[in-house]
Amino acid sequence: MDISVIVPLYNEEESLPELEQWISRVMDEHGFSYEIIFVNDGSTDRSWEVITDLARKNPAVKGVSFRRNYGKSPALNTGFRRAKGDVVITMDADLQDSPDEIPELYHMIKDEGYDLVSGWKKKRYDPLSKTIPTKLFNATARKVSGIKNLHDFNCGLKAYRHKVVERIEVYGDMHRYIPFLAKNAGFTRIGEKVVQHQARKYGTTKFGLDRFVNGYLDLATLWFTNKFGVKPMHFFGLLGSLMFLLGLLAVIAVGATKLYNMHVGNHYTLVTSSPYFYIALVTMILGTQLFLTGFIGELVVRNSPRRNEYEIEEEIKTEE
Ligand code: UDP
Ligand code: MG
């Protein structure tokens, strides 16, 4: 099979028939063998009935339906586990992404050697409240992930070599950082294609402004797990030691002040009257706690089945 198209959706009943028609038209025109996997993320409207109908008319249409709403990432991951095509394409259900981009995306993966190609909505048809924070978000994502050539991390329209979707696991809200996940799995040929974007035709956006707060927190998590995931002590131990050192210096300052005061005959000054006393107290406790957090982190890693999982590209084995 050439192409699997994965469409995560939550309450998009009006868009689905148009989308299915458009995708299959493009596929037939180019002679691709394909499947469309609709992942119904617990819709409360008639989306699933519509999908069942479409599947009756077109055998290339497949569907999975969650009992409740889990989010876009779980929906995508479920599609990834089922995709059979050499090239896997993800696309939003709301007709904001154009299926006309599929042939070129396919070509970039198949012939130009990209592992992942992300759409870039260079000209966006979204409200300003979304486009401005998105610019900031993408700048941060570029910096933290080190993928410098991507303008639009969270574009719903993306194409993947099949091996990539096998090897990455999208969970929580991590769909915003799939290129980062792919890079961490060793797929470094990540490209970009300017894509057409349209205003939402039916229904409303399924994400609120909390997307930006959560987006930043997730980026911090990815940065941390990528860097210190199997060696948390390197993070907590360093911080803890620095804190403790600061505390130690403060203790010395407290002691020295006390001795000086005694030397000049001022016997009754209390150590609590020195600011260094409080600095010492706080930083030494914090330092110890950070250090212990590091040990707990190490215990968790020690018991994680993933602690010795690596991406192996090739291997040479000789028979005995
Ligand atoms: N979506 C989903 N589960 C959710 C929220 C969204 O499957 O919990 C789907 C949604 O139906 C659409 C895609 O994810 O196909 C992108 O969502 P939306 O268009 O609302 O996001 P926006 O374009 O506003 O960023
Ligand atoms: Mg949309």
Side-chain angles (χ1 to χ4, degrees), residues 138-301:
N138 277 309
T140 322
R142 264 196 301 276
K143 190 106 197 124
V144 176
S145 69
I147 307 173
K148 297 191 182 68
N149 59 332
L150 278 199
H151 292 86
D152 192 358
F153 273 73
N154 189 19
C155 183
L157 183 57
K158 285 190 174 63
Y160 309 82
R161 187 179 298 285
H162 189 273
K163 199 161 59 178
V164 178
V165 306
E166 267 169 54
R167 299 308 310 162
I168 58 176
E169 201 180 324
V170 196
Y171 64 95
D173 270 339
M174 292 299 183
H175 60 268
R176 296 191 179 96
Y177 302 108
I178 293 180
F180 196 10
L181 297 178
K183 186 189 169 213
N184 290 348
F187 299 103
T188 47
R189 283 162 297 182
I190 297 174
E192 180 171 70
K193 176 185 187 310
V194 175
V195 294
Q196 290 290 329
H197 187 242
Q198 284 133 97
R200 214 179 217 284
K201 201 163 165 187
Y202 307 105
T204 50
T205 175
K206 307 297 184 284
F207 295 100
L209 280 175
D210 58 347
R211 73 170 85 201
F212 296 109
V213 181
N214 296 338
Y216 275 104
L217 294 176
D218 283 341
L219 189 60
T221 303
L222 274 184
W223 169 82
F224 176 78
T225 49
N226 179 39
K227 229 174 148 100
F228 303 105
V230 287
K231 39 192 170 188
M233 197 46 159
H234 290 193
F235 177 80
F236 292 107
L238 181 69
L239 268 184
S241 304
L242 287 178
M243 282 280 180
F244 201 87
L245 203 70
L246 200 67
L248 208 63
L249 290 177
V251 164
I252 293 170
V254 171
T257 320
K258 182 83 186 165
L259 284 177
Y260 173 77
N261 278 331
M262 282 165 73
H263 177 71
V264 295
N266 194 356
H267 287 275
Y268 297 103
T269 45
L270 298 167
V271 287
T272 48
S273 61
S274 158
Y276 292 111
F277 173 77
Y278 296 99
I279 294 174
L281 205 64
V282 170
T283 52
M284 286 181 103
I285 292 174
L286 269 180
T288 315
Q289 299 252 298
L290 280 167
F291 223 87
L292 292 179
T293 309
F295 279 135
I296 291 175
E298 291 290 339
L299 285 179
V300 173
V301 171

Side-chain angles (χ1 to χ4, degrees), residues 39-50:
V39 187
N40 173 30
D41 185 13
S43 297
T44 50
D45 65 355
R46 293 192 64 259
S47 293
W48 184 242
E49 280 88 337
V50 175

Side-chain angles (χ1 to χ4, degrees), residues 60-109:
V61 171
K62 296 167 187 175
V64 195
S65 189
F66 289 164
R67 188 167 298 125
R68 70 171 183 84
N69 178 246
Y70 284 97
K72 190 177 177 184
S73 293
L76 282 174
N77 198 61
T78 302
F80 283 168
R81 301 285 83 84
R82 284 160 175 75
K84 297 203 184 71
D86 297 342
V87 173
V88 178
I89 294 194
T90 58
M91 182 179 284
D92 289 353
D94 54 3
L95 297 164
Q96 288 197 271
D97 302 326
S98 160
D100 288 327
E101 309 284 354
I102 293 175
E104 178 62 21
L105 288 171
Y106 176 82
H107 167 72
M108 288 177 81
I109 301 282

